[in-house]
Amino acid sequence: MRTFLLFVIYIFLCSNTYAQRIFENADKDNFPYSKWTSEELLKSNTAKEVDYLSDIEKDIIWYANLVRINPKLFTETVLEEYVVANDLHKSKYVKSLRRTLKYQKELSIFQPNKKLYDLALAHAKWSGNKGSIGHQKFNQRSDKSGFDFFRENCQYGYNNALDIFMDLLIDIDISDLGHRENFLSSDVQYIGVSMHVHKKYDFNCVIDFGG
């Protein structure tokens, strides 16, 4: 019963009818989006017309593209606002992210890919139904993807785009910063994002990358 209720809540949150996208609500007259040009905001919104993605999934791709097209501005705006809102000033992981983005070069934007989405969805469903975490059968998904480079991020517990993305980008307590590196890799240019309810953590999100 609890899993069913979570699924209903998830559908409610992701529905195009009820949920308004962060991108569409971005206040371009005020911080942080006032610092971005309309061209940058539109360019980064590559998932806007993709009908198989939920609004949350689209916005995760949007955030990922923002940090790739202008790392410095992302640090000064989206990251700064998030750090203040969540009192992360003293986090060594935030400090290391700032250092990384200071020297990060502009990257190509992610393009949504249906094959990667299907692979991410299958793993999100499997993990959610089992109540498990991790990258089980990663090599099988890599082979099925057809890409030379295949990477994957998994996140548990959040049900909104900004928290999901920032949790993975900051990568607190992840010693190799693997999630962050995946978002900032020049080896991958395609992305699939899928959310599903999770038996233990309420929600889980799987992001698969290909290049």
Side-chain angles (χ1 to χ4, degrees), residues 88-176:
L88 294 172
H89 302 84
K90 297 180 180 180
S91 169
K92 66 178 183 180
Y93 292 91
V94 168
K95 293 177 181 178
S96 80
L97 177 58
R98 286 191 173 119
R99 287 194 300 272
T100 296
L101 296 182
K102 181 178 180 180
Y103 299 104
Q104 177 68 48
K105 295 181 179 179
E106 179 181 337
L107 298 166
S108 61
I109 56 177
F110 285 125
Q111 298 294 337
N113 180 274
K114 183 61 162 56
K115 183 65 175 180
L116 291 173
Y117 166 80
D118 289 339
L119 292 171
L121 175 61
H123 188 53
K125 284 184 175 179
W126 185 88
S127 299
N129 294 338
K130 292 283 187 179
S132 66
I133 62 174
H135 303 275
Q136 297 86 346
K137 299 183 180 180
F138 174 88
N139 290 336
Q140 290 184 24
R141 287 192 294 284
S142 178
D143 291 340
K144 289 180 180 179
S145 75
F147 288 100
D148 293 330
F149 295 96
F150 178 84
R151 301 186 179 193
E152 183 173 81
N153 287 349
C154 298
Q155 198 283 328
Y156 309 90
Y158 288 126
N159 64 355
N160 71 84
L162 183 59
D163 282 332
I164 291 168
F165 176 71
M166 294 306 296
D167 182 57
L168 294 167
L169 187 68
I170 297 173
D171 241 3
I172 292 177
D173 293 332
I174 305 299
S175 58
D176 66 359

Side-chain angles (χ1 to χ4, degrees), residues 23 28 36-45 62 66:
F23 173 85
K28 298 179 183 63
W36 295 82
T37 66
S38 295
E39 181 182 2
E40 287 175 313
L41 294 176
L42 289 171
K43 175 184 177 181
S44 58
N45 193 21
W62 177 51
L66 287 181

Side-chain angles (χ1 to χ4, degrees), residues 52-76:
Y52 58 80
L53 292 171
S54 71
D55 289 341
I56 294 175
E57 292 160 352
K58 290 178 181 181
D59 281 324
I60 291 171
I61 296 175
W62 177 51
Y63 283 124
N65 280 334
L66 287 181
V67 75
R68 284 173 74 89
I69 66 172
N70 198 331
K72 182 175 183 294
L73 184 57
F74 184 92
T75 302
E76 297 170 351

